[in-house]
Amino acid sequence: MPQMPPDRTPLARIVNPDSVAVIGASDDLGKFGGRVIHYLIRHGYRGRLLPINPNRAVIRGLPAFPGIAAAPGPVDVAILAVPAGTLLREVEACAAAGVGACIVITGKLADAGPEGAALEARVAAAARAAGMRLVGPNCLGILNLADGAMLSSSLALEVERVRAGGIGMVSQSGALMGTLVSLGHRHGAGFSRCVSVGNQADLELCDVLEFLIEDAATRVITLYVEGLKDPARFAPLLRRARAAGKPVLCVKAGRSEAGAQAARSHTASLAGSHAAFAALCREAGAVLLDDPAVMVLAADALDRLPRLPRAGMGCAVIASSGGSTVTTTDMLAQHGLRLGAMGEATRAELRRWMPESHVHLPLDTGSFHDGTSEDGLGACIRAFMRDDDIGAVVVPMTTQPAMAARAALLPPLAREGGRPLLYVMMAGEVGDAARERLREAGFPFYDSVAHALGVLQALEAEAEGRGRAALPPPARPAGLALPEALPRGALTEEEAKRLVAAYGIPVTRERFAATEAEAVAAAEAIGFPVVLKGVSRAVVHKSDLGLVRLGLRDAEALRAAHAALLAAPVPLEGVLVQEMARGEAELILGARHEPGLGPFVLVGTGGIWVEVLRDVQLAPAPLRPEDARAMLRRLALWPVLQGVRGRPALDVEAAVEALVRLSWLAADLGPRLVELDLNPILLRAAGEGCIAVDARATLA
Amino acid sequence: MPQMPPDRTPLARIVNPDSVAVIGASDDLGKFGGRVIHYLIRHGYRGRLLPINPNRAVIRGLPAFPGIAAAPGPVDVAILAVPAGTLLREVEACAAAGVGACIVITGKLADAGPEGAALEARVAAAARAAGMRLVGPNCLGILNLADGAMLSSSLALEVERVRAGGIGMVSQSGALMGTLVSLGHRHGAGFSRCVSVGNQADLELCDVLEFLIEDAATRVITLYVEGLKDPARFAPLLRRARAAGKPVLCVKAGRSEAGAQAARSHTASLAGSHAAFAALCREAGAVLLDDPAVMVLAADALDRLPRLPRAGMGCAVIASSGGSTVTTTDMLAQHGLRLGAMGEATRAELRRWMPESHVHLPLDTGSFHDGTSEDGLGACIRAFMRDDDIGAVVVPMTTQPAMAARAALLPPLAREGGRPLLYVMMAGEVGDAARERLREAGFPFYDSVAHALGVLQALEAEAEGRGRAALPPPARPAGLALPEALPRGALTEEEAKRLVAAYGIPVTRERFAATEAEAVAAAEAIGFPVVLKGVSRAVVHKSDLGLVRLGLRDAEALRAAHAALLAAPVPLEGVLVQEMARGEAELILGARHEPGLGPFVLVGTGGIWVEVLRDVQLAPAPLRPEDARAMLRRLALWPVLQGVRGRPALDVEAAVEALVRLSWLAADLGPRLVELDLNPILLRAAGEGCIAVDARATLA
């Protein structure tokens, strides 16, 4: 009789099963089923192992069974690498036998097109009906290094020994996961559990993320994401990880249009807006990266090195080569890093070891009075680690005598100082002894300066996320409430402005006028000079069609402009007479609801520069004032807001206020908000506020 | 009797000497002199080897001599790694013994401060007086891999075997040079001659560069530059290398201010303006890089891979992992790269192997009908290599069955196709078999996607330089000649405009006026509205002091503005009455003479955006029209010049004309030009020209 588990098998049991059946087990290492059983044995699986193969009585010295039904239960996990054609039958057999979960390595399902997707749906339905869980299909399984359970056919297991450690991983690409584990191992990194989720027919990335947050063996979490099944779960989980003190690092496919398109065809899931995803990660304190190699190396640094004391500190670059320290320094800025400004105590210590003329960062220990003394090296690094502005030390080593001995000095210095020290060994073979010493000391190293600086950039982002997690939640400004009746569809400029004005965002005074006479009366009430705009629900970009006339100084000019507008190629509902507002800089403020991810606001350089500079910052709504300020500071336009070349400092606080209020409007509208743009919103000198001169919005 | 060489020993003989004396030779590998002789022997030096040591009769089995005077001549090269205190005496002894050249490893000379610099000058003088050449001091010597003469104490030689090949290197950092050779070796790269020039007391970087251009063993040249002794030699040598078909790749210290400062203190040489150096490299067809590791890997790619057919082509990304191809694609843009647009023939070939839905770049061979077939892989790569828009193929491999066998397929495909193929093996240990197969095939590989894309970016720059080298020299527009009498010092706006107008650059109509009445008369002659500017030789940025009044519509407004200007805090020599010019975009055009490097022009986004965007392109003068056009295309402002959001396309050809004419002015002025700025120069719609509304200049 098959034993049906009372409840669906928890992930902790799937990751660390008491019993594993390998469907299609084989003695042939060229076959998936051959490798799976080989790796389970080689890497010390300690549970019950059940090879399933109708044509063999013994496989790898173990008794084999002709089918899952014949295997003695209970079976926690069955691993299937069978052809797609027999998959449904095998999964049904597992379900009938009461297997807890199937890990389905078989591919060519939803990833291969509609036919495969239909088969995948039937497989998932069969499992669901039986209360059996699925990992995959189109996955490479699970590497549980903490318990020695390698439930995978990944070639990354083609080694003598795997290394357990604190890095957990969830990946939508099995091949990439195996590659990253192998890359990490070479650098001495250790992993807890690595789960390839494949097409996520049942268990999905967020399920595993949740498991890793609770998992005691996991200290740092890495994610390779192509598309989320349930995006709404993601940000709350990132925040939970942050609260649990576990940094999350993430590579998200699809930053480029070509990448996004390929990711869609790879796992048949929607990639979503990369910019929104990035903003969400930042807000939730996770670190979003482009390069999967840097993700693993940075996770290892967070696992094995002290963390940065706080975001925004500088770094020290020190080595016994002017060439390597100078070129490393030149590469800092492109990684968003800077040298530390050494304090007086640090300088005093350095002066003991070298001539005053060489007391600067980067520091060339070749300038030491006694050559590159080990005492001097230690003393300088200790001084850096106590310096208020030095968060990390980068050591770009070159070939030189006693490399390995020098390398061995560093781990205790970093641990004692409590700050990350990034050791770079660029050399090939002659650097291997030094690498080995660090591997033995359980300390990371990097083969290239670019990798080390990429890692440091990630550590900086982690520290920033840690700092943000300590902030109180955004506080709602008083008196904000949505109007009773909201317009729908593409709003007119007037409707859009009324909506934002209700949330306290300043807009230009204006009046709708159906006739020329009404327009003149409106202009006289508002005061010349005025702006005249043609009103048509059909037109989004009015200036593209010549429907905007600026600086009308008197009634005569107004009448001429009115006549010209009426001659426009689109039928107008009337005109808008508007005060002629002036400001020192043009911003764009925007808001939109991202399906599955929630409300977002953006701020950027406005006017014609929007498309040219693409100088835009995005964040999930609502915002704290400090979030809004940080967004403005990240703009290329920021120096203009502070006042350049004798121009006045602008009213940054007015922009912050408008952005915060817009973020609450976006939050309150929720999914009803398709999009809303204020472009431009004119920013005036400090104390003089800002004003939105154009607005457009679409509500669902 | 010492034999005095009839002429100074040529570099070819110093690099490949018939006889080498090692001053301070030793059996102790912990000492410089011990390592030098050890490496000479280990790596197969075939000439006469003369250990010099007063305390030993035999060293490494060779008869030792108490001093250089006692050694049998002629001695082509003596290597000295003696303490600074005895250096002068030893060099004098070598000079007296008729040694051809000394390689001085000893440091703490000009690099250590004024005292060391004085000693270095005496050492150099002693050598010069005797007609003896010097390499160094403060260098690591010469690695001549082509002939097996390792004249160096570099720890990079701590290997069984070094690998000869086509990469030549000159480095101002010996430790970095050794590291890069070791890094290259691990990737299978081979080197011809690597010369560490140290403080360049005699032989300098340009001497070695010249030697490598003529050297038959060298196919690609790499340079690590901190500062040039004679900058004027540099660009002509780069052009000679280009003409000889030898790409030059260069890392120049000092892109960052901190890096520039450290480079100065490292070799006591002026780093010069990094931007000017970069512009010079681009013009001369050399490739300037930030990361020394990328420089060596790119040089190896140029040595061992087919070159890009031409600049501007796209690339194909292909591998059997959706994860690795998608993340690689996402990383292209940050390296200035793009995917190729596949032609129909390529698509037709791909359709043979995979479903139509998966026929796109990046290409996941996991989507092949027959799995990741080797035939399909080969067929697709062959198709890419014939595609008009695909210049290179990137293969970011992940762990998978038959990795090494797959890797072995690639070198013949790349050679047959005649285009570079960049194979990335990110995995650690499990990727070593694949790496070994490529090493055996004499084919490069990369450990990280970032390195491969950095290399491809360098190959792209090389192809661009190759294309530029085929252009005819700039042609002088007719009728340009400097005025007889040039003003000197800081010019007034009028003087500066007269100067550029003489070279055919349009400037605003304007008149100087000493009194209010003269100003009114001038405005009436020019036509209202006008601009009024206070004239003072003491003021550079007039608008910062409120000395510019725009849009004066009539005599009354002019008089009021005139009175306000007279109340300014600086004494005025008078006012300038100027036509009120309008344009669609503001550019800055500039020119300056860079000491040692010659005349340069720049173009950028003008007005207040100059300091904010730093959107500037620099090039050596004079320019061809196509150079000027390329500079404009590289600006962030370029989309505005083409017309965005319904705005008109602007008069790019007028900007090109103005920039070319300014470049001839800069070339004609030569060192007399300190600096000259036209900011802003207003660019109008296509066909309507441009006009400079402000100008300032300083002539020596």
Side-chain angles (χ1 to χ4, degrees):
Chain A
M1 258 313 273
Q3 296 136 337
M4 185 67 81
D7 205 354
R8 300 183 83 189
T9 310
L11 198 39
R13 170 61 63 93
I14 300 172
V15 164
N16 189 22
D18 286 337
S19 52
V20 175
V22 179
I23 315 290
S26 162
D27 281 316
D28 180 354
L29 292 188
K31 295 188 171 158
F32 277 102
R35 285 205 301 279
V36 169
I37 201 153
H38 171 65
Y39 295 147
L40 277 161
I41 295 168
R42 168 184 275 193
H43 297 296
Y45 177 60
R46 290 184 300 259
R48 277 193 309 130
L49 195 45
L50 308 160
I52 311 293
N53 187 326
N55 306 316
R56 295 274 184 285
V58 174
I59 290 172
R60 306 274 313 188
L62 296 168
F65 304 91
I68 188 71
V75 177
D76 286 339
V77 165
I79 306 179
L80 293 85
V82 300
T86 64
L87 179 62
L88 181 58
R89 199 176 64 221
E90 298 284 1
V91 166
E92 284 170 345
C94 287
V99 167
C102 284
I103 295 177
V104 183
I105 293 175
T106 308
K108 302 271 183 201
L109 291 148
D111 48 300
E115 211 173 310
L119 174 58
E120 180 171 314
R122 281 151 66 204
V123 168
R128 201 180 312 113
M132 181 176 74
R133 305 233 61 167
L134 283 186
V135 179
N138 189 28
C139 78
L140 272 182
I142 297 173
L143 312 181
N144 173 355
L145 297 94
D147 300 302
M150 302 298 140
L151 312 163
S152 170
S153 63
S154 172
L155 266 284
L157 297 170
E158 202 57 51
V159 289
E160 282 309 309
R161 213 174 68 78
V162 294
R163 193 187 300 261
I167 307 174
M169 186 181 294
V170 199
S171 175
Q172 282 182 260
S173 164
L176 188 59
M177 179 177 93
T179 306
L180 295 178
V181 168
S182 175
L183 169 73
H185 277 356
R186 166 155 287 171
H187 287 79
F191 296 82
S192 56
R193 343 273 188 171
C194 302
V195 181
S196 160
V197 292
N199 292 2
Q200 311 184 98
D202 171 25
L203 280 163
E204 59 136 330
L205 190 137
C206 285
D207 295 318
V208 187
L209 172 55
E210 188 162 22
F211 164 72
L212 293 176
I213 294 168
E214 306 297 330
D215 176 35
T218 300
R219 292 183 292 266
V220 184
I221 299 170
T222 56
L223 310 173
Y224 170 65
V225 183
E226 294 188 344
L228 296 167
K229 251 178 99 175
D230 182 1
R233 290 179 67 191
F234 190 60
L237 284 173
L238 293 183
R239 283 184 212 105
R240 254 175 71 188
R242 190 76 267 182
K246 296 189 182 183
V248 177
L249 300 98
C250 177
V251 167
K252 168 75 165 63
R255 168 189 289 271
S256 63
E257 189 35 51
Q261 210 171 324
R264 279 194 290 274
S265 71
H266 182 221
T267 49
S269 53
L270 266 178
S273 145
H274 193 90
F277 190 91
L280 210 67
C281 285
R282 181 195 283 270
E283 194 278 329
V287 179
L288 184 65
L289 298 161
D290 284 320
D291 187 339
V294 170
M295 175 172 74
V296 163
L297 297 175
D300 179 40
L302 289 165
D303 190 29
R304 295 197 291 157
L305 286 178
R307 298 195 179 163
L308 282 174
R310 61 175 193 280
M313 298 172 77
C315 65
V317 177
I318 177 171
S320 54
S321 155
S324 80
T325 54
V326 168
T327 51
T328 300
T329 298
D330 282 342
M331 290 169 69
L332 289 177
Q334 72 205 63
H335 292 88
L337 303 168
R338 65 170 177 88
L339 288 176
M342 290 189 286
E344 192 36 52
T346 309
R347 288 178 187 280
E349 179 62 39
L350 267 50
R351 260 183 238 118
R352 291 180 51 211
W353 301 96
M354 67 198 71
E356 175 76 40
S357 62
H358 286 62
V359 173
H360 57 67
L361 288 177
L363 187 65
D364 177 0
T365 64
S367 64
F368 283 5
H369 296 306
D370 59 351
T372 59
S373 109
E374 300 189 352
D375 289 346
L377 179 66
C380 292
I381 291 180
R382 272 191 207 95
F384 293 149
M385 295 261 173
R386 284 189 300 261
D387 194 300
D388 266 355
D389 195 50
I390 296 178
V393 177
V394 181
V395 184
M397 283 302 276
T398 48
T399 52
Q400 57 203 268
M403 274 187 286
R406 288 290 155 78
L409 296 174
L410 301 174
L413 289 169
R415 287 176 185 137
E416 174 196 320
R419 299 192 188 174
L421 183 153
L422 294 95
Y423 178 85
V424 186
M425 176 44 74
M426 247 202 290
E429 191 183 339
V430 298
D432 283 343
R435 290 184 182 92
E436 193 46 41
R437 291 293 280 277
L438 288 175
R439 232 184 257 114
E440 282 163 12
F443 202 81
F445 59 83
Y446 307 96
D447 290 339
S448 73
V449 171
H451 270 170
L453 299 185
V455 166
L456 191 47
Q457 185 171 21
L459 299 189
E460 182 68 23
E462 188 279 329
E464 197 188 312
R466 207 187 321 138
R468 189 191 317 276
L471 296 175
R476 189 183 185 87
L480 303 189
L482 286 181
E484 291 286 315
L486 280 172
R488 284 229 193 144
L491 274 54
T492 63
E493 180 178 339
E494 251 190 310
E495 289 168 335
K497 280 183 172 165
R498 222 157 25 223
L499 184 60
V500 299
Y503 271 63
I505 298 170
V507 299
T508 43
R509 280 174 297 137
E510 61 203 12
R511 279 207 209 163
F512 178 81
T515 65
E516 186 190 277
E518 278 181 35
V520 172
E524 277 161 359
I526 288 168
F528 285 102
V530 295
V531 175
L532 200 65
K533 295 178 174 175
V535 174
S536 165
R537 217 172 271 269
V539 177
V540 172
H541 292 296
K542 286 182 281 281
S543 52
D544 292 3
L545 288 179
L547 295 185
V548 179
R549 307 282 160 146
L550 300 174
L552 307 174
R553 312 178 60 87
D554 49 34
E556 184 185 352
L558 180 69
R559 284 192 194 97
H562 190 264
L565 284 187
L566 290 188
V570 287
L572 299 182
E573 287 128 43
V575 296
L576 207 56
V577 182
Q578 207 167 74
E579 72 173 299
M580 177 79 192
R582 297 202 172 276
E584 299 286 334
E586 295 186 338
L587 294 177
I588 178 173
L589 264 61
R592 68 170 186 261
H593 189 270
E594 192 80 30
L597 298 180
F600 288 80
V601 284
L602 70 78
V603 62
T605 301
I608 61 156
W609 293 97
V610 172
E611 276 88 0
V612 178
L613 293 184
R614 299 183 188 281
D615 177 29
V616 165
Q617 289 293 323
L618 192 72
L623 298 176
R624 305 172 192 88
E626 45 270 58
D627 300 329
R629 235 169 262 128
M631 289 168 77
L632 290 164
R633 266 197 302 270
R634 287 197 299 269
L635 291 178
L637 189 71
W638 177 243
V640 171
L641 304 191
Q642 292 182 292
V644 279
R645 283 283 294 275
R647 286 164 48 101
L650 306 189
D651 202 335
V652 169
E653 285 310 304
V656 166
E657 183 74 21
L659 193 55
V660 167
R661 288 171 175 272
L662 182 63
S663 80
W664 283 98
L665 176 59
D668 291 349
L669 284 168
R672 281 175 292 184
L673 175 63
V674 179
E675 56 174 353
L676 189 161
D677 276 353
L678 306 176
N679 183 26
I681 180 162
L682 301 176
L683 193 57
R684 298 172 177 143
E688 296 175 15
C690 64
I691 188 161
V693 302
D694 200 358
R696 56 194 194 86
T698 305
L699 299 189
Chain B
M1 257 311 276
Q3 296 137 334
M4 185 66 79
D7 205 354
R8 299 183 84 190
T9 311
L11 199 36
R13 170 63 62 95
I14 299 173
V15 164
N16 189 22
D18 286 337
S19 51
V20 175
V22 179
I23 315 290
S26 161
D27 282 313
D28 179 355
L29 291 187
K31 294 187 171 158
F32 278 102
R35 286 205 302 278
V36 169
I37 201 154
H38 171 64
Y39 295 147
L40 276 161
I41 294 168
R42 169 184 275 192
H43 296 296
Y45 177 60
R46 291 187 298 260
R48 278 193 308 131
L49 195 45
L50 308 159
I52 310 293
N53 187 327
N55 306 315
R56 294 276 183 284
V58 173
I59 289 172
R60 306 274 313 189
L62 296 168
F65 303 91
I68 187 72
V75 176
D76 286 338
V77 165
I79 305 178
L80 293 86
V82 300
T86 65
L87 179 63
L88 182 58
R89 201 175 64 219
E90 298 285 1
V91 167
E92 284 171 345
C94 288
V99 166
C102 283
I103 295 177
V104 183
I105 293 175
T106 308
K108 303 275 184 197
L109 291 146
D111 48 300
E115 213 172 309
L119 174 57
E120 182 172 313
R122 279 153 66 204
V123 167
R128 200 179 313 113
M132 181 175 74
R133 304 233 62 164
L134 283 185
V135 179
N138 189 29
C139 79
L140 272 182
I142 296 171
L143 312 182
N144 174 355
L145 297 94
D147 299 301
M150 303 298 141
L151 313 163
S152 171
S153 63
S154 171
L155 267 284
L157 297 170
E158 202 58 52
V159 289
E160 282 309 308
R161 213 175 68 79
V162 293
R163 192 187 300 263
I167 308 174
M169 187 182 292
V170 199
S171 175
Q172 283 182 259
S173 164
L176 188 59
M177 179 177 95
T179 306
L180 295 177
V181 168
S182 176
L183 168 73
H185 276 356
R186 164 153 290 171
H187 288 79
F191 295 82
S192 56
R193 342 274 188 170
C194 302
V195 181
S196 160
V197 292
N199 292 1
Q200 311 183 97
D202 171 25
L203 280 163
E204 59 134 329
L205 190 138
C206 285
D207 296 317
V208 186
L209 172 55
E210 187 162 21
F211 164 70
L212 292 176
I213 293 169
E214 304 297 330
D215 176 35
T218 300
R219 291 183 293 265
V220 184
I221 299 170
T222 56
L223 310 174
Y224 170 65
V225 182
E226 295 189 342
L228 297 167
K229 251 178 98 175
D230 181 0
R233 290 178 67 190
F234 190 59
L237 284 173
L238 293 183
R239 280 184 215 108
R240 254 174 71 187
R242 191 75 267 181
K246 297 189 184 186
V248 177
L249 299 98
C250 176
V251 168
K252 168 74 164 64
R255 171 190 286 271
S256 64
E257 189 35 51
Q261 208 171 330
R264 280 194 289 275
S265 72
H266 183 221
T267 48
S269 52
L270 265 178
S273 148
H274 192 88
F277 189 90
L280 210 66
C281 285
R282 178 194 285 271
E283 194 277 329
V287 180
L288 184 65
L289 299 160
D290 283 322
D291 187 338
V294 171
M295 174 171 74
V296 164
L297 297 175
D300 179 40
L302 289 165
D303 190 30
R304 295 197 291 157
L305 286 178
R307 299 195 179 164
L308 283 175
R310 60 174 194 279
M313 298 173 78
C315 64
V317 177
I318 178 172
S320 55
S321 155
S324 79
T325 54
V326 168
T327 52
T328 299
T329 298
D330 282 342
M331 289 169 69
L332 289 177
Q334 73 205 63
H335 292 88
L337 303 168
R338 64 171 177 88
L339 288 176
M342 290 188 288
E344 192 36 54
T346 309
R347 287 178 187 282
E349 180 60 40
L350 267 51
R351 262 183 236 118
R352 292 181 50 210
W353 301 96
M354 68 197 74
E356 174 76 41
S357 61
H358 287 63
V359 173
H360 56 66
L361 289 177
L363 186 65
D364 177 0
T365 63
S367 64
F368 283 5
H369 297 304
D370 60 350
T372 59
S373 109
E374 300 190 351
D375 289 345
L377 180 66
C380 292
I381 291 181
R382 273 192 207 94
F384 293 150
M385 295 260 173
R386 283 190 300 261
D387 194 298
D388 266 355
D389 194 50
I390 296 180
V393 177
V394 181
V395 184
M397 284 301 278
T398 47
T399 53
Q400 57 203 270
M403 274 187 288
R406 289 288 156 79
L409 297 175
L410 302 174
L413 289 170
R415 287 177 186 136
E416 174 197 320
R419 299 192 188 175
L421 183 154
L422 293 95
Y423 178 85
V424 187
M425 177 43 74
M426 248 204 287
E429 192 183 336
V430 298
D432 283 343
R435 291 185 182 91
E436 192 48 38
R437 291 294 280 277
L438 289 175
R439 233 184 254 114
E440 282 163 11
F443 202 81
F445 60 83
Y446 307 96
D447 291 338
S448 74
V449 172
H451 270 170
L453 299 186
V455 165
L456 191 46
Q457 186 170 21
L459 299 189
E460 182 66 24
E462 189 279 329
E464 196 188 312
R466 206 188 322 139
R468 190 192 315 279
L471 295 175
R476 187 182 188 89
L480 302 190
L482 285 182
E484 291 285 316
L486 282 172
R488 286 231 194 141
L491 273 54
T492 63
E493 180 177 339
E494 254 190 308
E495 288 167 336
K497 281 183 173 164
R498 218 155 29 222
L499 185 59
V500 298
Y503 272 64
I505 298 170
V507 299
T508 42
R509 279 174 298 135
E510 60 202 13
R511 280 208 208 161
F512 178 82
T515 65
E516 185 190 277
E518 278 180 34
V520 172
E524 277 160 359
I526 289 168
F528 284 104
V530 295
V531 176
L532 201 65
K533 293 178 173 177
V535 173
S536 165
R537 213 172 274 271
V539 177
V540 173
H541 292 298
K542 287 182 280 281
S543 52
D544 293 4
L545 288 178
L547 295 186
V548 179
R549 306 282 160 149
L550 300 174
L552 306 173
R553 309 179 62 86
D554 50 33
E556 184 186 354
L558 180 70
R559 283 190 196 100
H562 189 263
L565 284 186
L566 291 187
V570 286
L572 300 183
E573 288 128 43
V575 296
L576 208 55
V577 182
Q578 210 167 73
E579 74 173 297
M580 177 79 191
R582 294 203 175 276
E584 298 287 332
E586 295 185 337
L587 293 177
I588 178 172
L589 265 60
R592 67 169 187 264
H593 189 268
E594 192 80 29
L597 298 180
F600 287 81
V601 284
L602 72 79
V603 61
T605 302
I608 61 157
W609 293 97
V610 173
E611 276 87 0
V612 177
L613 293 184
R614 299 184 188 282
D615 176 28
V616 166
Q617 290 292 325
L618 192 71
L623 298 176
R624 304 171 192 89
E626 44 270 58
D627 300 329
R629 236 170 261 128
M631 290 168 78
L632 289 165
R633 266 197 302 272
R634 288 197 299 268
L635 291 179
L637 188 70
W638 176 245
V640 170
L641 304 191
Q642 291 183 291
V644 278
R645 282 284 292 277
R647 287 163 47 102
L650 307 190
D651 201 336
V652 170
E653 285 310 304
V656 165
E657 183 73 22
L659 193 53
V660 167
R661 287 171 176 272
L662 183 63
S663 80
W664 284 99
L665 176 58
D668 292 349
L669 284 169
R672 279 174 294 184
L673 175 62
V674 178
E675 57 175 352
L676 188 162
D677 277 353
L678 306 177
N679 184 24
I681 180 161
L682 300 177
L683 194 58
R684 296 171 177 144
E688 297 176 14
C690 65
I691 188 162
V693 302
D694 200 358
R696 57 196 192 85
T698 305
L699 300 188

